[in-house]
Amino acid sequence: MTIRVRDKTWNLRKKHVFRVVREALAAANSKLRFRVVHYSVQGNHLHLIVEAEDTYALSRAMRSLSIRIAKRVNALMKTRGVRIPERYHMSVIRTPPEMHLTLRYVLNNYRRHAKQWGEYPAADWVDPCSSAPWFGRWSPQPRRARDPCPGVD
């Protein structure tokens, strides 16, 4: 899943914004027939790997998640209106190789974006604004300290 936010929305990786996005993701996991398995928060979008029992549960949970994020970010920005202008983008994963590639893409997504800005994180660095620090199947295991997202408590 990919959820994009409207232009002129604050950077989702900033300390106070990431905190509310992370809270919204945690609240989404309280749904009975839906859960966020892995995520990566970028400046203007989120990548999610989710599981749902059926399409109805998926669409309701994604709607709820989008609303939660929009309301919380709007409250931070002291603004109103549409924060997530379009529906989410979805790809269904059907095979183990597809899942492997999707995990690599989501958990390492910041590296892809960082190259565009001329940044090259160390090989053993994991993105603290993702679920990568809790992913236990890295090969080899990262040696670096797993700091939270910049400034997040």
Side-chain angles (χ1 to χ4, degrees):
M1 298 287 191
T2 303
I3 300 174
R4 294 197 180 280
V5 295
R6 188 174 88 189
D7 288 345
K8 300 183 182 168
T9 301
W10 291 350
N11 185 333
L12 300 177
R13 292 177 67 89
K14 294 293 183 185
K15 173 184 176 177
H16 52 296
V17 183
F18 177 72
R19 185 179 298 128
V20 299
V21 170
R22 188 178 54 194
E23 289 168 1
L25 292 171
N29 272 350
S30 67
K31 303 287 181 196
L32 292 176
R33 299 166 42 202
F34 174 87
R35 79 181 183 118
V36 176
V37 180
H38 286 288
Y39 66 89
S40 176
V41 178
Q42 303 306 313
N44 66 349
H45 64 282
L46 295 90
H47 291 286
L48 308 171
I49 298 176
V50 302
E51 292 178 345
E53 280 189 17
D54 52 42
T55 55
Y56 180 76
L58 176 67
S59 66
R60 300 301 294 172
M62 290 304 295
R63 182 173 186 268
S64 173
L65 176 60
S66 296
I67 290 169
R68 280 180 202 270
I69 291 170
K71 283 186 173 185
R72 291 171 187 217
V73 171
N74 273 337
L76 269 179
M77 294 177 62
K78 294 184 170 89
T79 188
R80 297 174 58 177
V82 176
R83 191 59 39 208
I84 299 174
E86 61 189 46
R87 208 180 147 149
Y88 54 87
H89 169 75
M90 176 180 78
S91 297
V92 177
I93 301 166
R94 301 186 195 290
T95 65
E98 284 179 3
M99 186 63 200
H100 175 79
L101 291 174
T102 302
L103 276 168
R104 286 182 57 191
Y105 181 84
V106 170
L107 297 180
N108 289 309
N109 194 254
Y110 182 78
R111 288 178 185 281
R112 182 175 164 267
H113 292 291
K115 285 180 186 176
Q116 297 168 349
W117 313 309
E119 292 179 25
Y120 296 91
D124 58 352
W125 179 85
V126 293
D127 182 5
C129 292
S130 72
S131 58
W134 295 277
F135 183 66
R137 302 203 47 153
W138 290 108
S139 180
Q141 284 292 320
R143 292 175 308 218
R144 288 208 167 171
R146 295 176 176 176
D147 297 330
C149 207
V152 175
D153 302 330

